[in-house]
Amino acid sequence: MSFANNMSRLPRPFDQEIADDLSDQLTIVDGEIKPLLIGVGASSPYLRGLLLKEQTWLEPALDDPDQAVTDLYAELKEVAPDALSHALRQGKRRIALITALADIAGVWTLEKVTSTLTDFADLSCQIALEAMVAKEIARGKLPGATEDDIAEAGGMVALAMGKMGAHELNYSSDIDLICLFDETRYDRDDFHDARASLVRATRRAMALLSDITGEGYVFRTDLRLRPDPAVTPVCLAMEAAERYYESLGRTWERAAYIKARPAAGHKEAGAKFLKTLRPFVWRKHLDFATIHEAHDMRLRIREHKGLGGKVELAGHNMKLGRGGIREIEFFTQTRQLIAGGRDPELRGRETVSSLKKLADKGWVKPEVADQLSEHYRAHREVEHRIQMINDAQTHDLPKTEEGLERIACLMGRNLAELKAEWRDRIEEVHRLTEDFFAPDMMAPKEVEQGYSFDEEVIARWNTYPALRSSRAVEIFNRLRPELLRRLSEAAKPDEALIALDGFLAGLPAGVQVFSLFEANPQLVDLLVDIFGTSPALARYLSRNASVLDGVLGGSFFSDWPSVDELTADLTKLLSAESDYERRLDASRRWMKETHFRIGVHHLRGLINGIQAGQQYSDLAEAVLSGLWPSVLEQFSAKHGPMPGRGAMVLGMGSLGAQRLNASSDLDLIVIYDADGVDFSDGRRPLASRAYYARLTQALVTAVTAQMSEGRLYEVDMRLRPSGTQGPVATSIVSFTDYQRNQAWTWEHLALTRARPVAGTEELMQEIEVFRQELIAQPSDESKIRTDVLEMRERIAAAKSPEGVWDAKIGTGRLQDIELTSQAAALLTGNASRDVAESLRHGLASKWCSEQEYDDLSESYNLHRTLQVATRLLGEKALDPEAIGAGGVAFILRETGAESFASLQDQLTESATRASKAIDHMLARPFSG
């Protein structure tokens, strides 16, 4: 790449006398290049010195600057240890010169400039560490190490932090490093000697880079970002560092590790260490509490540096001052900390690309990201020009007009225009970032709520665990006036207040949740909606407040995905976790968020009860399908792969029929085919029958175990052959033989709703084919009718309905109609799991009349709608006196009734007609 052909701007000389002298002193005569060199040299004393010292190297380098840099790196790698000091400093001069010229002339982008500076820093660190560790090894001071260990610095890694970690070094930047070593490389008895040796190597390597000689320095190095730098050595064991961050790590250290990168030494060990810190840096829930912490950090920096108050351009700090570079970095990193735990794609190190990703994901408005990116580039350009004057690590604009004019000359711009532009950029950066960090956070707002609430309820809030910290109280006090105002607008404010009280009482801690609401006011609307309608959902929220993260995830109100898409989403989430328990917790967080989404959609009328039942079932199937491989992997690690053809999970009852509700448990049967294989092949082999029994228990435990994130579902396996007396896992031979030759009528009725939901695909298909073939076989019509009549009597004797609002139990209601539809499925040989379709087959076969079909369908749809809605409000039968005005409105909207009195009449009448229809059908011989 020819340098001259890619120039897009030129500086102008600040000192014409110096420019005239340079014109004579420079041997480079290229007509296009020379004005650039003269303008640079006549404006920057530092660059003028480099030009005169390195022009012999520079002239051929300008023919192809990229290749010149590559060649320089290659030469440095071959330098003898005793010549390193000279070679590295010469290399620094040349890199500083070529990047300055490419930057000023617009030949390289900002990213190219900063990455070139960073690459040189990486190489310098690698060379310095190798040289000093090699000396320790040669002297026999590093236990057990040989020359083969030099390239990996004896197990030591230099983690690049800050701008170096992000490949964003500025022109005269120092480099922030954390030096660690992998203590597992050394015997326990050698630990102290190894640490002492690596500490010496670290100190000497840093001195090689930072000591000022007659030829200058390579990089100023700063090791103070390591854990507790006042008392810890400059090179720390990774295990000790990990313990520090787990127990004492602070928010600023979390932010620092966003940009952390293994830059030199044992990079593989460094990457492994950073992986262990992911839970510390990236919280599993949305972490809006970091906004306040970052805001406090910004204020402390301003106060410490004396950078608050009105902006004066003369002497303004372009990095730390108001509207400066650090404001943009804080804005970006805080957003990353908030959401990066849930979305690994937001964990980028570079500022501009991270802003774009945040915008793509909906966490930052695209126009804000674009504006901040533009200002960031412009600020960095000014920062570089400031530093190019005298190679000083400063970010302050000059305090004199003469100094400012020198900057303008380097930029080839008019100073008056630059000043106006700088002011505009600084103020806009401040406006965009300050609104995010401190939107009216100084004092609680006085809001007219228009309603007098029970002061005794409000007074007890301060006794709740959620408000035990001063920080939580501070945030909640800012929220409370607006929250009470919105509650006062609910249909029944007192009921909504009691629901809020229950929510607050159940919260184990408040800072994160209150910060979430403060940063996202739209969640308060949702919360008030829930408080005014579903106290049960409010209580669920208090126990699982993290589900609100999903509302902000971008897809909460999008169309419902397919089961395959849900399963793929969960699988991707679990694959990111290497630890089995973390996978189980991750599955619970994911399930709760998705479960909550269904409830909110139902509550707000985006879906009806029938759709909600389908979605709850899709969710359960996705959980089982997504979790099955993890359970199998964990189990087979000890006992080997599944012997034979594997196993599958058969969903029964409401899961099989895809009619779950908000509080359903799961009816499951596990079926396996050992295919003649007697034992598994693993470290601890098991007989095939025992293998599948214990694998089934492992699956049930994975689903039902109470972990830190709760449990997934309750599981019922009593529908398996022989019920609780039979094995928990059934062989395919036993299952098919039992169903053909031994099963009771009720078991065949249950099979009409069965559906394969997880496991070995081939077995799933085989069981479904068997199910359809078995149901299609001619049935003993008289026996089925007799058995169903007997079952109805037993059900009625065993459990009475809890009044008219019990949608499930009782003649002519859900359970009764579902039993009848299953009988219709057997009598007609119809394998459909759908109640309506089975009844339609009964109608087609003349087993029921059109009127009876209509009566059954009407009652089933009404009671089904009531059942799903009731379960969203609570786990008990509906009590109109207890659900409040919001709950009443919800039930009436769902059922289409004008009042609860008319709904009661409608339920009674429909159940009566359905009960008579069933009586007639079961008394009528089947003619199909």
Side-chain angles (χ1 to χ4, degrees), residues 290-300 434 437-438 441:
T290 58
I291 296 177
H292 189 73
E293 294 171 355
H295 179 59
D296 288 346
M297 200 184 313
R298 292 162 69 242
L299 295 180
R300 286 196 298 271
E434 199 73 10
F437 284 110
M441 291 175 62

Side-chain angles (χ1 to χ4, degrees), residues 18-19 37 72 99-100 106 124 131 149 154 205 239 262 276 341 390 394 427 448-449 464 485 548 606 743 907 911 922:
I18 292 176
L37 304 184
L72 174 61
T99 54
S124 300
D149 297 302
E239 189 269 340
T276 66
N390 289 307
T394 179
E427 289 303 326
E448 180 59 47
Q449 63 195 41
Y464 293 159
R485 183 190 68 78
L548 291 166
L606 301 176
L907 289 167
L922 293 177

Side-chain angles (χ1 to χ4, degrees), residues 853-864:
Y853 171 80
D854 290 342
D855 289 342
L856 290 173
S857 298
E858 179 187 340
S859 183
Y860 184 79
N861 291 334
L862 179 61
H863 285 87
R864 177 67 190 155

Side-chain angles (χ1 to χ4, degrees), residues 515-559:
S515 298
L516 180 75
F517 289 130
E518 185 172 49
N520 301 275
Q522 72 272 23
L523 288 182
V524 177
D525 289 330
L526 175 60
L527 201 66
V528 171
D529 195 6
I530 291 171
F531 291 160
T533 308
S534 176
L537 202 54
R539 287 192 296 273
Y540 176 84
L541 264 180
S542 69
R543 298 190 300 268
N544 306 285
S546 63
V547 299
L548 291 166
D549 292 356
V551 181
L552 304 173
S555 61
F556 189 83
F557 290 105
S558 60
D559 292 339

Side-chain angles (χ1 to χ4, degrees), residues 68-81 83-95 119-121 123-124 126-128 130 218-219:
V69 170
T70 300
D71 292 343
L72 174 61
Y73 291 168
E75 291 167 7
L76 284 173
K77 293 176 183 177
E78 302 300 323
V79 173
L84 278 178
S85 179
H86 164 76
L88 286 172
R89 283 158 176 76
Q90 181 186 67
K92 174 62 183 295
R93 290 196 302 270
R94 293 174 174 177
I95 289 295
D119 289 343
F120 180 72
L123 178 62
S124 300
Q126 182 67 35
I127 290 172
E130 285 185 12
V218 188
F219 286 101

Side-chain angles (χ1 to χ4, degrees), residues 566-568 570-571 574 620-631 757-758:
L566 286 168
T567 303
L570 177 57
T571 300
L574 299 185
E621 182 176 347
V623 166
L624 293 169
S625 297
L627 199 55
W628 172 260
S630 293
V631 173
V757 293

